[in-house]
């Protein structure tokens, strides 16, 4: 108050000290900071590890560059986006359906734009293919092309039309399916090796092959039935052949043995005759006249076996002996009739 009685506010007294901040506020700030740091550390720790199952491989990139490929297990990873992981199913067979499609309810939907083809002899057929493949190189699969599955599908469809277009309709519908599958598999595999998109072909199978009209289908079914009957007849003939061959072989062996026996017998007889001739010749050399007469009498006996032979040695010159013929009338049988 001044001397006139008026009051004036002079502010706080210079002698009064300023108020200090409360300690509770500082402690709350420290707690909040610690919580934030702990959350950041927990988040970083949670992103420092990743797990790969037994059907996968993981491609690790550091600042966008591929630095590692890891297999199944738990692995360390640099946090805060320094390293990224892309998991790929490498041990799983995947499928491609050409000419048809199936869903979870096993319903069969036909795709004529993919299945209709022209054979080498200018016939139209509908051929459905089932293809199995897997990822062989996860790095090439992820980064060498935008859509490797689409590339593989187009490649298979192109080679299928190429092989079917160089085959006859009979081969496509009946007995040439195995060869067509093998040709498609070899062609696609060689091109995949050249493209190197990280995919490998496992198998190619013809799911179904048939003509586009019912009349032609029935005709080919009749042809197939005839072929099966022909194969049955051929198999029956082969079975009969296999049953008869042992018998014929046994008969042939018996004939050969008999021929060998007769051959040896003839050889032995010839050797015996040669020996007899040599012995007779030796006798002839020693006694030519006697041996000649003996050979003559023996020859007459063999030529005329039923004729009785009488040798007259007393009718020579100066002989007084006379021989009476026939002698049977002079010799009476013992106990015969008069």
């Amino acid at each position: 108050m001044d001397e006139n009685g008026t009051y004036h506010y002079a502010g706080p007294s210079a002698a009064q000290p300023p108020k200090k901040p409360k300690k509770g506020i500082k402690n709350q700030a420290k707690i909040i900071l610690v919580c934030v740091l702990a959350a950041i550390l927990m988040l970083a720790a949670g992103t420092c590890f990743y797990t790969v199952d037994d059907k996968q491989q993981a491609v690790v990139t550091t600042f966008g560059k591929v630095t590692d490929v890891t297999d199944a297990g738990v692995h360390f990873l640099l946090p805060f986006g320094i390293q990224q992981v892309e998991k790929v199913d490498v041990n799983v067979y995947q499928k491609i359906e050409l000419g048809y499609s199936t869903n979870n309810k096993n319903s069969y939907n036909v795709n004529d734009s993919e299945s209709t083809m022209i054979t080498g002899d200018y016939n139209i057929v509908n051929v459905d293919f089932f293809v199995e493949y897997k990822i062989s190189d996860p790095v090439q699969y992820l980064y060498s092309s935008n859509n490797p599955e689409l590339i593989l599908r187009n490649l298979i469809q192109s080679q299928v039309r190429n092989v079917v277009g160089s085959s006859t309709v009979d081969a496509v519908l009946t007995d040439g399916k195995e060869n067509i599958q093998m040709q498609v598999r070899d062609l696609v595999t060689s091109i995949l090796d050249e493209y190197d998109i990280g995919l490998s072909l496992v198998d190619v199978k013809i799911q179904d092959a048939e003509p586009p009209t019912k009349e032609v289908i029935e005709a080919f079914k009749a042809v197939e039935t005839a072929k099966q009957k022909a194969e049955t007849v051929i198999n029956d003939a082969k079975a009969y052949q296999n049953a008869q061959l042992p018998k014929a072989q046994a008969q042939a062996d018996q004939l050969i043995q008999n021929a060998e026996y007769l051959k040896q017998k003839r050889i032995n007889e010839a050797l015996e005759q040669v020996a007899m001739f040599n012995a007779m010749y030796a006798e002839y050399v020693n006694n030519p006249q006697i041996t000649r007469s003996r050979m003559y009498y023996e020859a007459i006996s063999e030529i005329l076996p039923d004729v009785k032979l009488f040798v007259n040695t007393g009718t020579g010159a100066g002989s007084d002996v006379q021989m009476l013929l026939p002698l049977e009338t002079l010799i009476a049988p013992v106990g015969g009739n008069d």
Side-chain angles (χ1 to χ4, degrees), residues 224-243:
E224 188 65 22
T225 302
K227 288 184 177 179
Q228 293 177 358
K229 290 182 179 179
E231 290 178 358
T232 301
V233 173
I234 292 172
N235 293 333
D236 292 341
K238 288 182 178 180
Y240 177 77
Q241 178 186 12
N242 294 332

Side-chain angles (χ1 to χ4, degrees), residues 89-109:
D89 295 330
V90 295
N91 294 325
V92 177
Y93 286 171
Q94 304 185 49
K95 67 178 181 178
I96 293 178
E97 298 170 338
L98 292 177
Y100 73 102
S101 61
T102 56
N103 53 26
N104 295 330
K105 297 181 180 180
N106 293 327
S107 63
Y108 190 91
N109 299 320

Side-chain angles (χ1 to χ4, degrees), residues 79-274:
F80 306 117
I82 298 175
Q83 286 186 325
Q84 299 290 334
V85 174
E86 187 78 23
K87 298 177 183 179
V88 180
D89 295 330
V90 295
N91 294 325
V92 177
Y93 286 171
Q94 304 185 49
K95 67 178 181 178
I96 293 178
E97 298 170 338
L98 292 177
Y100 73 102
S101 61
T102 56
N103 53 26
N104 295 330
K105 297 181 180 180
N106 293 327
S107 63
Y108 190 91
N109 299 320
V110 178
N111 187 351
D112 291 334
S113 62
E114 292 182 345
S115 63
T116 303
M117 306 178 192
I118 299 177
T119 63
D121 50 1
Y122 304 103
N123 287 285
I124 299 176
V125 292
N126 291 335
V127 187
D128 301 335
F129 279 84
F130 177 79
V131 179
E132 283 185 324
Y133 71 95
K134 69 175 184 178
I135 299 173
S136 57
D137 188 336
V139 176
Q140 294 297 109
Y141 172 76
L142 291 174
Y143 302 111
S144 66
S145 60
N146 291 330
N147 194 340
E149 283 87 358
L150 180 60
I151 295 175
L152 178 60
R153 185 183 187 89
N154 293 336
L155 175 61
I156 294 172
Q157 191 170 7
S158 173
Q159 297 307 315
V160 163
R161 293 185 179 277
N162 182 21
V163 175
V164 172
S166 61
S167 304
T168 63
V169 65
D170 289 336
V172 175
L173 299 179
T174 56
D175 56 355
K177 295 180 180 179
E178 191 70 26
N179 187 37
I180 292 174
Q181 294 171 174
M182 183 179 64
Q183 291 185 49
V184 172
R185 183 169 56 249
D186 293 342
L187 289 173
V188 174
T189 300
S190 63
I191 297 176
L192 283 177
D193 294 339
E194 181 181 355
Y195 284 179
D196 196 13
I197 59 175
L199 298 178
S200 63
L201 197 62
V202 177
D203 195 12
V204 177
K205 292 183 179 179
I206 294 179
Q207 189 75 4
D208 191 17
E210 61 182 10
T213 61
K214 292 183 179 181
E215 293 79 5
V216 181
I217 291 174
E218 293 300 326
F220 273 102
K221 285 183 178 179
V223 172
E224 188 65 22
T225 302
K227 288 184 177 179
Q228 293 177 358
K229 290 182 179 179
E231 290 178 358
T232 301
V233 173
I234 292 172
N235 293 333
D236 292 341
K238 288 182 178 180
Y240 177 77
Q241 178 186 12
N242 294 332
Q244 295 298 321
L245 276 178
K247 296 180 181 179
Q249 188 64 40
Q251 293 177 357
D253 293 340
Q254 185 177 2
L255 292 175
I256 292 173
Q257 291 176 0
N258 292 336
E260 289 291 336
Y261 168 75
L262 293 175
K263 170 187 173 183
Q264 192 62 40
K265 182 180 178 182
R266 293 290 180 87
I267 292 174
N268 294 335
E269 289 177 353
L271 293 175
E272 183 180 358
Q273 291 177 1
V274 169

